[in-house]
Amino acid sequence: MFKKEFTPGAKSKVKSSAQRAVRAKVLETYPLLEPHIDEILPKKEQLDLVKIPDRVSLYCNGTTPLFFQHMDDAILPHLKVVHKYPWAFTKVRVDRGAIRFVMSGATLMVPGLTSPGGRLAGDEGVEEEYGNAGKELEVGDVVVVNAEGKDSACLVGVLKMGSAEMREKKKGIAIENGHFAGDGLWKLDLS
Amino acid sequence: MADTATAPTGDVRPAKNVIYCGVCTLPPEYCEFGGTTKKCEEWLESHHPDLHDEIYSPDAAAAALSTLSVDAQKRAEKDAQKKAAKAVAQEARESEKRATSRITIKRVERNKRKYVTEISGLEHFGIDLKKTAKEFGKKFATGSSVTKTASGGEEVTVQGDVSEDVVEWLSENHGEVPEENVECVEDKKKKGGGA
């Protein structure tokens, strides 16, 4: 979604009612963020809304980007937030070969997750952080993508295919239009 | 006994502090995909030597390559080289631009004895036009704005003849602009109606 670099649009204050709505939505999508929600989205502080090209709204606290939303789709965390609280998000892992494609903004394809080196929820013998408590991932779930051999996340996006389907078909698009490390949104300067 | 299954809301850990590379702004482990690998490595070595050893140690490199097939390895290398070359070319172009681009200060006649000062070419030097326009307005107690030129560039337009003061201001506030790059031009064209 942010392959090109861009400059931020207008910055406007968010009404407290809207701020509460954003908070609620974030907690709904990411329940594990609850103990940290006050650090990320303090009640007392003014949340700002920055408009960016492509109908995307970015919520930020001062100069720190927090969450963004394309039109009325799911609300996604900025990767910097993901780096701070990695345990709060559902994770999958791609194998090493896919890393360079992810870092240049390509669509993430299923083989990146099903090949050896990739980790998907519900796999047998998978480590706890990718296990998602044994539950399968569904279409439309927001998922954070880590890379094999790396500590921090490289991509966050919405799943286009459920994990069961992925294991069955082993082909197709897994995540489209996500936010990856080094993209326009990552490089965005909000000062 | 400690519960191995943590309740969904029970996990409270302090925020993880991630260090980002000073050169490419990515977490250091991803520096190799950014196109500025060499510089990133040097930066990391000087700022965070422990991380540098961890990431750039020979074992790490071996582990990274082992999981890729031979073809994939070759492609990965080619890609990394291409990216690095691109980054270098871009930097060279930018520094060239900086050397040749000038800040043009034009004094344009508006009415018979009124002038307008136009300053173009500031973007090449990374000077924020809006802020600059505001400052000029405040400083000279006159109107100032950012307008677009015919060629697509932007310039700061200040009412009145302030070309001399602008030169002074530039050398004071933006020392990085060398004197040779500043050009003062007197335009005799009539600009319709002024800023």
Side-chain angles (χ1 to χ4, degrees):
Chain A
M1 225 194 303
F2 307 107
K3 283 193 202 160
K4 285 226 138 141
E5 286 186 23
F6 49 81
T7 39
K11 199 189 229 183
S12 55
K13 302 265 175 222
V14 174
K15 280 202 315 193
S16 48
S17 58
Q19 186 164 344
R20 266 177 281 134
V22 169
R23 211 168 203 255
K25 239 190 154 190
V26 163
L27 281 175
E28 195 195 312
T29 336
Y30 312 108
L32 290 166
L33 263 188
E34 207 182 298
H36 307 284
I37 195 70
D38 277 319
E39 275 175 54
I40 307 176
L41 271 181
K43 270 199 211 166
K44 287 285 176 178
E45 280 180 41
Q46 194 46 283
L47 195 65
D48 292 321
L49 171 65
V50 179
K51 284 198 189 279
I52 28 189
D54 239 5
R55 296 275 227 123
V56 174
S57 10
L58 170 67
Y59 295 102
C60 44
N61 186 356
T63 53
T64 0
L66 297 170
F67 296 93
F68 65 99
Q69 193 178 30
H70 178 226
M71 298 231 262
D72 276 312
D73 295 338
I75 190 155
L76 295 159
H78 190 273
L79 272 177
K80 299 218 162 145
V81 173
V82 177
H83 287 162
K84 284 209 181 120
Y85 309 96
W87 56 85
F89 303 96
T90 338
K91 293 201 269 288
V92 296
R93 196 173 83 174
V94 289
D95 66 9
R96 236 178 261 279
I99 304 181
R100 40 186 263 269
F101 297 109
V102 168
M103 296 302 269
S104 49
T107 322
L108 181 64
M109 301 299 228
V110 175
L113 297 164
T114 51
S115 58
R119 295 281 178 272
L120 199 50
D123 274 348
E124 299 176 19
V126 86
E127 300 98 347
E128 193 190 308
E129 57 170 333
Y130 294 107
N132 196 29
K135 277 186 291 170
E136 296 283 0
L137 296 168
E138 304 295 325
V139 179
D141 275 355
V142 174
V143 110
V144 153
V145 177
N146 283 35
E148 184 187 350
K150 313 281 187 203
D151 271 332
S152 6
C154 54
L155 172 70
V156 66
V158 170
L159 278 181
K160 282 269 172 310
M161 222 192 246
S163 49
E165 220 187 310
M166 282 196 226
R167 249 172 287 129
E168 207 192 299
K169 290 203 197 149
K170 293 213 201 299
K171 265 188 175 201
I173 297 182
I175 296 179
E176 235 178 358
N177 276 341
H179 161 45
F180 60 94
D183 66 358
L185 178 59
W186 176 271
K187 294 213 167 116
L188 196 60
D189 183 17
L190 289 162
S191 38
Chain B
M1 293 299 117
D3 227 348
T4 41
T6 40
T9 51
D11 203 0
V12 190
R13 288 180 245 176
K16 192 168 156 196
N17 187 14
V18 185
I19 303 173
Y20 297 112
C21 173
V23 179
C24 62
T25 70
L26 298 172
E29 54 204 4
Y30 288 110
C31 282
E32 53 183 312
F33 301 102
T36 47
T37 323
K38 267 252 119 86
K39 287 212 189 129
C40 291
E41 199 183 329
E42 290 168 13
W43 183 92
L44 196 62
E45 203 170 344
S46 52
H47 287 72
H48 301 279
D50 44 345
L51 271 184
H52 176 265
D53 290 331
E54 249 187 75
I55 301 176
Y56 290 98
S57 71
D59 323 305
L65 296 175
S66 63
T67 52
L68 295 175
S69 67
V70 181
D71 285 327
Q73 271 184 45
K74 283 201 231 148
R75 261 182 288 146
E77 245 200 79
K78 260 178 82 188
D79 262 0
Q81 279 176 348
K82 263 203 268 176
K83 263 197 170 167
K86 249 187 159 183
V88 168
Q90 239 208 3
E91 266 202 56
R93 255 182 292 145
E94 272 211 53
S95 52
E96 250 207 72
K97 266 180 106 182
R98 293 193 158 211
T100 53
S101 59
R102 351 199 92 204
I103 294 190
T104 327
I105 304 176
K106 275 196 279 191
R107 193 185 71 156
V108 173
E109 242 180 71
R110 190 181 73 167
N111 291 330
K112 293 225 176 83
R113 54 180 193 85
K114 297 232 170 158
Y115 294 96
V116 160
T117 316
E118 290 169 12
I119 306 131
S120 48
L122 289 167
E123 325 96 54
H124 289 309
F125 294 92
I127 300 179
D128 186 8
L129 287 143
K130 267 183 125 173
K131 286 199 193 141
T132 316
K134 266 209 151 159
E135 271 189 54
F136 282 157
K138 279 199 171 164
K139 204 164 178 278
F140 305 121
T142 176
S144 147
S145 58
V146 179
T147 36
K148 292 201 177 77
T149 26
S151 51
E154 291 191 325
E155 55 184 22
V156 174
T157 312
V158 185
Q159 291 172 19
D161 182 8
V162 296
S163 36
E164 312 273 319
D165 304 284
V166 171
V167 181
E168 261 187 60
W169 182 88
L170 273 176
S171 46
E172 264 176 53
N173 298 56
H174 291 284
E176 79 258 13
V177 180
E179 292 287 324
E180 323 99 55
N181 282 50
V182 179
E183 228 185 273
C184 282
V185 172
E186 285 207 9
D187 227 6
K188 291 299 165 111
K189 279 190 305 183
K190 284 235 165 156
K191 230 185 163 202

